[in-house]
């Protein structure tokens, strides 16, 4: 038997060495010829693969006779066979329909890629006959990782999904994403049941098939312990009662990518996970750069509100100055990486390692990196190392393994200590925390974490929080850390998102050009009865905080755009959202007619990154400067509209999602990276939920 195995192995190796290799390049687009970034391209039958870049371009080395498989969420899977004339292969993916085609169970093998197994169970009898044999191959393969995927035209369709059963317990549809994240090493046996006879034991829920998973422990519990800070939607405020509105800017973008993950996996989106300001600010807008001494430019406009024709929408936009990467000061970066047991899943530490390599590729010789890890305790695994030594840095990342509890507080203290010891005067000093936020040893509450970070931010070391994973993702903790620690927060669910945050937007993520940026808006009572700020509920400030330089606020990075929307009720318009109040006895507000052509005045305060005293800017929006709404305005409005629909907002008069999609589709100009087209596809997918 061993001799036969040896002969087969030699034959396999010989076949591989004699295969004729060919380099394939091409572009992946959708049915409207828009580029698709982040498309998975793999060689059928093994684990070798790549992803398309932001322009949809890809390159892969394969053999003549191989078949390339192209897959992307919300699109049909495409397969193309490689021939001698296949050096250039452009692929157009077709949007998926709602019909579930088949259940796909893929087993990814070890480095001997020819021994990995990929199979699909469908109505085809010959495939079904081979199922048991393939299952045995999965169980016998050493080091095999099993990834569960549902192949169908619309992966978010709940009506055609198979039933998942884990250790005898049927799993509710809302927890399917958590099931898919089960650590493959915990799986002892996996069965795919398709026939009526096989699935009858599980009733009507299994009419579209059943995936039965048995773990080694036999009592695996599927839990969804994600946590989000409560959001209470902003109400309308009467101008003569509250003429000022004050808030901190927010450049975080985590909410959008997190929501995208939920919709793409068919998970119900919790209302508190929807931060409309982060959804809007995920996208870039065509704002002009500053031309004076200030680090950002101000842009305002207003028009009718698309979801309520009796109100108006005001947009306030900021554009941060773009600093070329070679002009960014030397960086002192400390990677603070969670290697606790909860980070073991493939969408956590393994994805984190690949994502950080993108960041490492951006480093220069004058930059230096330290790596601190924490689990049950914290420790330094890489002393400060020049960015020129990329191999050494990447090797330290590659050697990380997950295990143990989570002492996040100790890790934060050590990371800031090392950052302070290696502090670069007038440089870019930053801790980059990467975790699922599940702190369970030492300081763990949001309140304690806030207190710790308030103490550490005095060191002039900035903070970036990168969230990973699902099922136990603690958004509330990472939001608290980022908001308190002169920082920003992103959620990374795919390499596509990692490329955006750590590659394309490296300067904005890693280099602060203005800190403690506050906005205060004063509305003209002769023009505006009432207003409400859309989003920013967790970033509101007291009016007196605006001129108080000791009060923390948000940071603006190189090239960042920040957008805020106000819905206003004009004077003389009756609106059901504006309730009557009793007359005031002691206060008699008289309206100053001198500013009749002004709708509002907006003030900004900010500090330079290394300074303590703020600088003020003032901008006035006049009613006589009103023009037709820009495409930026309308696209931002469509995002806010969709966000309010996700939250179940009481302020939407028009609930028709098709109108939201039309507004976005007709205003997605200059979408070179395809993010706006992706947003439209996301809304189309949401319709099917």
């Amino acid at each position: 038997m061993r001799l036969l195995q040896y002969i087969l192995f030699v034959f396999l190796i010989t076949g591989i060495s004699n295969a004729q290799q060919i380099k394939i390049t091409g572009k992946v687009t959708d049915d409207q010829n828009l580029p698709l970034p982040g498309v998975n391209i793999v060689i059928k039958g093994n684990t070798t693969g790549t992803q398309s870049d932001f322009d949809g371009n890809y390159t892969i080395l394969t053999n003549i006779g191989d078949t390339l498989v192209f897959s992307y969420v919300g699109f049909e899977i495409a397969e193309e066979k490689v021939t001698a004339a296949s050096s250039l292969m452009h692929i157009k993916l077709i949007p998926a329909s709602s019909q579930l085609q088949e259940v796909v169970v893929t087993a990814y093998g070890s480095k001997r890629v020819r021994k990995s197994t990929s199979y699909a169970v469908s109505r085809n009898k010959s495939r079904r006959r081979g199922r048991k044999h393939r299952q045995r191959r999965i169980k016998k393969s050493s080091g095999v990782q099993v990834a569960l995927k549902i192949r169908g035209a619309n992966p978010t369709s709940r009506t055609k999904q198979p039933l998942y059963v884990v250790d005898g317990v049927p799993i509710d549809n809302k927890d399917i994403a958590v099931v898919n994240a089960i650590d493959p090493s915990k799986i002892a046996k996996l069965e795919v049941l398709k026939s009526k006879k096989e699935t009858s034991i599980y009733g009507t829920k299994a009419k579209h098939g059943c995936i039965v998973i048995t773990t080694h422990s036999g009592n695996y519990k599927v839990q969804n312990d994600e946590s989000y800070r409560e959001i209470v939607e902003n109400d309308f405020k009467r101008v003569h009662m509250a003429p000022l509105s004050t808030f901190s800017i927010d450049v975080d973008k985590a909410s959008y990518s997190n929501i995208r993950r939920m919709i793409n996996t068919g998970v119900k989106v919790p209302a508190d996970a929807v931060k409309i300001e982060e959804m809007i600010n995920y996208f870039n807008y065509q704002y002009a750069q500053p031309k004076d001494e200030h680090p950002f430019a101000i842009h305002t406009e207003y028009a009718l509100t698309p979801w309520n024709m009796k109100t108006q929408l005001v947009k306030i936009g900021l554009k941060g100055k773009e600093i070329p990467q070679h002009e960014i000061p030397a960086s002192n970066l400390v990677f603070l990486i969670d290697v606790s047991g909860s980070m073991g899943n493939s969408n956590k530490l393994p994805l984190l390692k690949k994502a950080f390599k993108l960041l490492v590729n951006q480093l220069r010789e004058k930059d230096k990196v330290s790596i601190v890890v924490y689990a049950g305790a914290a420790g330094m695994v890489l002393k400060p190392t020049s960015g020129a030594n990329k191999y050494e840095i990447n090797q330290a990342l590659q050697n990380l393994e997950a295990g143990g509890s989570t002492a996040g507080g100790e890790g934060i203290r050590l990371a800031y200590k090392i950052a302070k010891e290696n502090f670069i005067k007038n440089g870019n000093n930053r801790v980059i925390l990467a975790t699922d936020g599940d702190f369970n040893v030492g300081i763990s509450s949001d309140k304690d974490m806030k207190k710790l970070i308030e103490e550490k931010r005095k060191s002039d070391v900035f903070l970036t929080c990168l969230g990973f994973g699902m099922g136990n993702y603690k958004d509330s903790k990472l939001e608290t850390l980022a908001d308190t620690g002169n920082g920003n927060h992103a959620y990374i669910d795919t390499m596509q998102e990692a490329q955006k945050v750590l590659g394309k937007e490296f300067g904005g993520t890693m280099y602060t050009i203005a800190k403690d940026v506050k906005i205060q808006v004063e509305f003209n009572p002769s023009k505006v009865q009432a207003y409400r700020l859309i989003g920013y509920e967790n970033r509101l400030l007291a009016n007196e905080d605006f001129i108080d330089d000791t009060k923390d606020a948000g940071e603006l990075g190189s090239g960042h755009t920040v957008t805020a929307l106000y819905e206003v009720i004009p004077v003389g318009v009756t609106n059901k959202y504006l309730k009557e109040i009793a007359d005031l006895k002691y206060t008699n507000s008289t309206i100053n007619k001198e500013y009749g052509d002004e709708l509002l005045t907006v003030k900004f305060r900010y500090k330079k990154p290394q300074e303590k005293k703020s600088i003020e800017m003032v901008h006035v929006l006049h009613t006589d400067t009103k023009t037709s709404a820009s495409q930026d305005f309308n696209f931002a409005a469509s995002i806010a509209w969709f966000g309010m629909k996700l939250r179940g907002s009481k302020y939407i008069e028009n609930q028709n999602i098709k109108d939201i999609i039309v507004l976005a589709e007709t205003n997605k100009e200059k979408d070179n990276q395809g993010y706006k087209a992706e947003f439209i596809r996301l809304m189309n997918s949401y319709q099917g939920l």
Side-chain angles (χ1 to χ4, degrees):
M1 186 66 180
R2 288 184 178 177
L3 178 61
L4 177 60
Q5 289 177 335
Y6 176 77
I7 294 172
L8 289 173
F9 177 74
V10 172
F11 178 79
L12 176 64
I13 296 300
T14 304
I16 293 174
S17 63
N18 291 334
Q20 185 176 350
Q21 288 195 322
I22 183 172
K23 183 179 181 181
I24 305 292
T25 60
K27 186 171 186 176
V28 188
T29 59
D30 63 10
D31 57 338
Q32 298 179 356
N33 292 320
L34 293 172
L36 293 176
V39 175
N40 290 313
I41 303 123
V42 298
I43 300 171
K44 190 173 184 178
N46 67 53
T47 58
T48 302
T50 186
Q51 282 190 329
S52 60
D53 64 16
F54 290 106
D55 297 317
N57 298 317
Y58 74 94
T59 300
I60 189 169
L61 189 64
T62 183
N63 296 322
I64 293 176
D66 284 342
T67 298
L68 296 184
V69 181
F70 300 78
S71 61
Y72 193 71
V73 171
F75 287 80
E76 297 283 2
I77 292 176
E79 296 187 1
E80 289 290 335
K81 191 168 184 177
V82 177
T83 66
S86 296
S87 59
L88 186 64
M89 189 182 290
H90 298 312
I91 300 297
K92 182 176 291 187
L93 296 185
I94 306 301
S97 60
S98 60
Q99 178 69 32
L100 176 68
Q101 301 297 328
E102 56 191 2
V103 178
V104 177
V105 183
T106 309
Y108 299 103
S110 58
K111 291 184 179 179
R112 296 182 186 178
V113 295
R114 296 286 179 173
K115 287 193 174 183
S116 63
T117 307
S118 176
Y119 68 89
V121 180
S122 68
R123 293 184 179 89
N124 186 295
K125 291 183 179 179
S126 63
R127 291 186 181 182
R128 195 160 59 229
R129 282 197 298 267
R131 185 182 62 232
K132 292 183 179 179
H133 171 66
R134 289 167 179 140
Q135 288 169 355
R136 285 195 295 270
R137 288 179 67 183
I138 287 179
K139 287 185 283 183
K140 290 180 180 179
S141 299
S142 98
V144 166
Q145 293 184 331
V146 179
L148 311 179
K149 297 182 181 179
I150 302 171
R151 178 183 296 175
N154 184 352
T156 62
S157 171
R158 296 188 182 189
T159 59
K160 298 293 183 180
Q161 283 189 351
L163 174 69
Y164 283 81
V165 179
V166 180
D167 289 337
V169 179
I171 303 303
D172 191 279
N173 275 332
K174 67 182 177 63
D175 289 323
I176 284 178
V178 184
V179 174
N180 289 342
I182 293 176
D183 186 348
S185 65
K186 291 183 169 67
I187 297 176
K189 181 182 178 183
L190 185 145
E191 296 178 278
V192 179
L193 310 181
K194 194 70 176 171
S195 71
K196 290 183 179 180
K197 182 179 179 181
E198 290 175 313
T199 59
S200 61
I201 187 174
Y202 298 107
T204 57
K205 285 187 176 181
K207 64 182 179 180
H208 299 297
C210 185
I211 297 177
V212 181
I213 302 170
T214 305
T215 67
H216 291 293
S217 66
N219 61 352
Y220 189 89
K221 291 190 181 348
V222 175
Q223 294 180 320
N224 192 337
D225 295 327
E226 297 184 4
S227 65
Y228 301 92
R229 191 191 303 182
E230 182 183 9
I231 296 175
V232 179
E233 187 175 28
N234 292 326
D235 290 320
F236 278 104
K237 294 185 177 181
R238 288 181 178 272
V239 173
H240 77 277
M241 299 286 290
L244 295 176
S245 172
T246 309
F247 64 99
S248 162
I249 69 161
D250 187 359
V251 297
D252 297 344
K253 303 176 181 182
S255 182
Y256 177 79
S257 51
N258 192 29
I259 290 168
R260 179 184 60 200
R261 180 262 298 181
M262 294 179 189
I263 294 176
N264 282 339
T265 53
V267 174
K268 182 177 178 174
V269 181
D272 291 335
V274 182
K275 301 170 203 166
I276 296 175
E277 72 279 7
E278 293 189 14
M279 294 178 66
I280 295 171
N281 290 328
Y282 182 86
F283 300 89
N284 290 322
Y285 302 95
Q286 304 305 309
Y287 300 156
Q289 287 205 62
K291 297 180 180 179
D292 53 21
E293 73 279 9
H294 296 294
F296 56 85
I298 303 163
H299 304 273
T300 57
E301 60 178 311
Y302 74 102
L304 286 176
T305 306
W307 58 83
N308 187 344
M309 292 296 111
K310 291 185 177 181
T311 65
Q312 293 176 340
L313 198 63
V314 175
K315 175 175 72 68
I316 300 171
L318 302 182
K319 173 64 175 181
K321 185 177 181 180
E322 294 183 3
I323 309 297
Q325 189 169 339
H326 68 274
E327 293 183 12
I328 294 177
S331 296
N332 163 36
L333 304 178
V334 180
F335 296 172
L336 174 56
I337 299 176
D338 182 353
V339 294
S340 63
S342 67
M343 291 291 290
N345 292 345
S346 60
N347 59 359
K348 295 186 181 181
L349 187 58
L351 175 60
L352 184 157
K353 292 179 183 180
K354 296 175 184 176
F356 270 58
K357 288 181 180 178
L358 294 172
L359 193 160
V360 172
N361 288 339
Q362 310 290 317
L363 300 178
R364 306 152 300 179
E365 183 176 1
K366 64 181 179 180
D367 303 325
K368 55 185 175 183
V369 170
S370 311
I371 300 179
V372 172
V373 298
Y374 65 92
M380 182 169 64
V381 298
L382 180 72
K383 66 180 189 304
T385 301
S386 166
N389 298 325
K390 292 179 172 54
Y391 176 81
E392 184 178 351
I393 300 170
N394 285 329
Q395 196 61 41
L397 288 169
Q398 193 59 38
N399 291 337
L400 300 180
E401 295 183 358
S405 52
T406 317
E410 290 304 312
I412 290 171
R413 287 191 181 93
L414 179 58
Y416 272 92
K417 178 177 180 291
I418 292 171
K420 191 63 179 175
E421 289 173 351
N422 295 276
F423 192 85
I424 301 174
K425 186 176 181 181
N426 297 321
N428 179 31
N429 300 279
R430 183 173 296 268
V431 170
I432 304 169
L433 169 63
T435 176
D436 58 9
D438 191 11
F439 306 147
N440 53 32
V441 172
I443 291 177
S444 60
S445 72
D446 290 3
K447 182 178 179 181
D448 289 340
M449 283 292 175
K450 181 178 180 180
K451 185 176 180 181
L452 173 62
I453 292 299
E454 282 177 339
E455 173 194 335
K456 297 302 178 184
R457 75 169 181 232
K458 297 174 184 176
S459 64
D460 286 330
V461 174
F462 292 86
L463 177 68
T464 291
C465 296
L466 303 178
F468 290 82
M470 62 180 73
N472 67 331
Y473 175 58
K474 299 298 186 286
D475 177 87
S476 60
K477 282 189 172 59
L478 295 184
E479 181 186 19
T480 296
L481 293 174
D483 290 354
T484 309
N486 285 343
N488 49 51
H489 174 205
Y491 174 79
I492 296 179
D493 57 337
T494 62
M495 281 301 292
Q496 174 186 333
E497 189 63 19
Q499 287 176 323
K500 182 177 188 293
V501 174
L502 301 177
K504 180 177 178 292
E505 298 178 356
F506 174 85
T509 304
M510 297 297 161
Y511 181 54
T512 297
I513 60 173
K515 70 178 182 180
D516 292 340
V517 184
K518 307 170 188 174
I519 299 177
Q520 186 169 77
V521 182
E522 181 179 0
F523 293 90
N524 184 351
S526 69
K527 296 293 183 182
V528 180
Q529 282 190 84
Y531 63 88
R532 73 180 190 93
L533 177 60
I534 299 174
Y536 292 92
E537 286 88 355
N538 293 335
R539 308 288 280 180
L540 300 178
L541 297 172
N543 291 331
E544 56 268 27
D545 291 343
F546 182 70
I547 59 174
D548 185 349
D549 283 351
T550 66
K551 294 295 183 181
D552 181 57
E555 279 60 53
L556 187 70
S558 168
H560 265 157
T561 59
V562 177
T563 300
L565 298 177
Y566 279 94
E567 186 175 4
V568 302
I569 301 175
V571 168
V573 175
T574 302
N575 195 297
K576 68 179 183 180
Y577 301 119
L578 197 57
K579 305 300 182 182
E580 292 295 327
I581 60 173
D583 292 335
L584 299 177
K585 179 179 179 180
Y586 301 107
T587 302
N588 182 18
S589 299
T590 58
I591 298 175
N592 190 334
K593 303 292 186 181
E594 183 181 348
Y595 304 102
D597 67 337
E598 296 182 5
L599 187 69
L600 58 85
T601 296
V602 55
K603 299 178 181 179
F604 304 84
R605 290 181 80 90
Y606 72 92
K607 299 172 189 169
K608 293 180 180 180
Q610 306 299 331
E611 296 186 5
K612 305 298 182 184
K613 186 174 178 57
S614 63
I615 300 168
E616 184 170 301
M617 302 168 64
V618 179
H619 177 87
V620 178
L621 175 59
H622 294 268
T623 56
D624 59 1
T625 59
K626 184 176 183 296
T627 59
S628 59
S630 68
Q631 289 191 305
D632 276 343
F633 180 98
N634 287 330
F635 192 82
S638 73
I639 300 168
W641 192 355
F642 182 59
M644 288 190 291
K645 185 170 181 64
L646 287 175
R647 287 192 52 79
S649 172
K650 63 183 179 182
Y651 294 114
I652 306 178
E653 289 295 300
N654 181 357
Q655 296 277 350
N656 191 346
I657 192 171
K658 291 183 179 178
D659 290 340
I660 309 177
I661 293 172
V662 169
L663 182 64
E665 280 181 334
T666 54
N667 290 279
K668 60 177 179 63
E669 67 169 348
K670 296 185 178 179
D671 186 29
N672 295 333
Q673 306 301 329
Y675 296 121
K676 294 179 180 178
E678 180 190 55
F679 171 62
I680 294 166
R681 290 195 297 269
L682 197 68
M683 289 193 288
N684 279 308
S685 296
Y686 179 76
Q687 286 188 95
L689 294 181

